Amino acid sequence: MNYYSLNHKAPVVNFKEAAIRGQAPDKGLYFPERLPAIDKELIKNIEVTGEAEIAFRVIKPYVGGTIPDDALYQIVSETVNFPFPLQSITDRIAALELFHGPTLAFKDVGARFMSRCLGYFLKDEKKHVTVLVATSGDTGGAVASGFYGVEGIDVVILYPKNRVSPVQEKQLTALGKNITALEVNGNFDDCQRLVKQAFIDKDINAKRFLTSANSINVARWLPQQFYYFFAYKQWQDKQTAPVVTVPSGNFGNICAGLLAKSTGLPLGHFIAACNANDVVPSFLQTAHWEPKKAVATLSNAMDVGDPSNFVRIMQLFDQLLLQLKTTLSAESISDAATINTIKDVFDTTGYVLDPHGAVAFKAMENYLAEHQQSKGFILETAHPVKFPDAVQQATGKEVRVPEALQSLMQQPKHAIAMQPDFEMFKSYLLG
Ligand SMILES: *Cc1c(COP(=O)(O)O)cnc(C)c1O
């Protein structure tokens, strides 16, 4: 299996090369040259197939022999070694809970898979790799946890001082070992600027082999397909293809779901649930792609003004918008509706949604009101405890901190103070 750049100005590469590079040299996103058909036996026997086995069979064709079967099986077993329960909320809407991993958000699966793949690819090479990542909150924690203790890899995370939640900060700063957190006296854009500049700096690149753990990396994107298989495994009424609603920001997760469907997983209609950042809902209506500056919302992990993975979705549908619209719809949900939804769902069912899941639930409810025969599931991408203010405001109840998190919250914080100044960052990396 090879990957080409969607900008079509870079050489074709295998999975190993695509995972190490992240982005193609022409700045395009890598896309698989052909789409493998899912083994029909896997679908038929999915209810009696274990999670690691499902994940292994789904990802193997994409890895294309760059990792031998036994090592790949080991990697996926470690990637999916926590539960992915499908919980019903109402008689027509269930939630696939993706927050039972170490950092309580769905990015754990992609980060764990990618870190272990890189660890495998680099173990025989003499070079030491530095993963550089700027984070506004969730990504950094998942990457830190995913790469923690992986031989041959140092992780340097830049986060904006005073702008991540207390839980998120601990997830970045309490691990230590090969994970270093830089607390930047600035905002997320400053962090991102420092990282981008480091990638093109000759002195730094002569001294360190840098890579990014960006969400467009194929090794983070492709394993997100697993969620949809795990949901289908637990879906009771196999005669009715489930409607799938995905809270979407950069559109990597939903793109993985659409890929799973295109290659044979029997899923129904897809809904991209967005917050006020409505580039995709507008595009589906007007056929004009108009990136905007991201606006801040309660579902902050989806505050993306120019979703980079959408080009992959267009490619899946051969760039045909009309065809895409038969499978995908999109809706923008306001913060007010998000809070109301958390409240309503809690009052009527007792289920506590986080703001991202609430955006998805509302979009799903609107769709089902017009499709009386349908039912389906949402992806619940974060634990409500990561967004305690919004959830407490809506439910009037305190969110209980899970045990795993309580011990993390006791750990001391280790962070290096950094000014938003490239020379200072550079001397840190060279020092
Ligand atoms: C990153 C994230 C999203 C958005 O996922 P994309 O793949 O970027 O669309 C949704 N919810 C949570 C909690 C996230 O961390």
Side-chain angles (χ1 to χ4, degrees), residues 310-328:
F310 201 75
V311 292
R312 283 183 169 139
I313 294 182
M314 289 305 289
Q315 188 62 23
L316 264 181
F317 289 84
D318 297 325
Q319 309 294 332
L320 300 171
L321 181 58
L322 282 181
Q323 199 160 320
L324 171 63
K325 281 166 68 166
T326 63
T327 300
L328 177 73

Side-chain angles (χ1 to χ4, degrees), residues 155-318:
V155 178
V156 177
I157 300 171
L158 292 82
Y159 74 97
K161 183 182 166 108
N162 297 333
R163 289 178 200 237
V164 300
S165 78
V167 170
Q168 288 173 329
E169 183 168 48
K170 283 290 174 164
Q171 290 176 337
L172 302 172
T173 60
L175 288 175
K177 260 198 188 169
N178 60 328
I179 313 292
T180 306
L182 303 182
E183 183 176 20
V184 177
N185 192 8
N187 60 24
F188 172 65
D189 291 332
D190 292 319
C191 299
Q192 204 154 29
R193 182 173 44 78
L194 293 177
V195 166
K196 283 193 173 152
Q197 227 168 324
F199 275 107
I200 54 173
D201 185 272
K202 288 213 171 57
D203 303 331
I204 298 172
N205 283 280
K207 173 121 196 233
R208 284 179 176 246
F209 184 87
L210 297 180
T211 189
S212 96
N214 197 291
S215 70
I216 59 170
N217 193 303
V218 293
R220 271 190 67 185
W221 169 49
L222 294 167
Q224 298 179 88
Q225 293 180 90
F226 303 161
Y227 310 141
Y228 301 86
F229 286 83
F230 297 166
Y232 183 74
K233 170 178 172 166
Q234 298 169 79
W235 184 249
Q236 293 294 320
D237 178 6
K238 297 272 194 293
Q239 303 310 313
T240 312
V243 176
V244 182
T245 304
V246 186
S248 295
N250 214 15
F251 280 70
N253 188 1
I254 194 168
C255 182
L258 289 165
L259 175 62
K261 178 177 159 82
S262 308
T263 54
L265 186 65
L267 301 174
H269 191 71
F270 269 68
I271 302 167
C274 301
N275 56 29
N277 296 284
D278 64 351
V279 176
V280 171
S282 315
F283 174 69
L284 292 189
Q285 265 184 3
T286 65
H288 290 294
W289 184 258
E290 286 179 52
K292 299 177 187 166
K293 216 170 137 51
V295 299
T297 72
L298 293 173
S299 45
N300 63 13
M302 312 189 321
D303 295 348
V304 179
D306 188 5
S308 40
N309 274 294
F310 201 75
V311 292
R312 283 183 169 139
I313 294 182
M314 289 305 289
Q315 188 62 23
L316 264 181
F317 289 84
D318 297 325

Side-chain angles (χ1 to χ4, degrees), residues 33 63 77 90 92 106 123 126 128 131 138 140 152 182 218 251 262-263 265 277 286 291 309 354 401 414 425:
E33 263 190 341
V63 172
S77 325
T90 70
R92 295 173 72 199
F106 86 97
K123 79 174 163 32
K126 288 288 163 280
H128 211 83
V131 173
D138 269 354
L182 303 182
V218 293
F251 280 70
S262 308
T263 54
L265 186 65
N277 296 284
T286 65
N309 274 294
D354 98 293
V401 179
H414 296 287
F425 179 50

Side-chain angles (χ1 to χ4, degrees), residues 30 41 49 51 55 101 105 108 127 146 168 271 329 343 401 416:
Y30 283 119
E41 285 298 301
T49 308
E51 272 64 27
D108 280 327
K127 65 185 167 199
Q168 288 173 329
I271 302 167
S329 50
K343 182 176 178 358
V401 179
I416 297 175

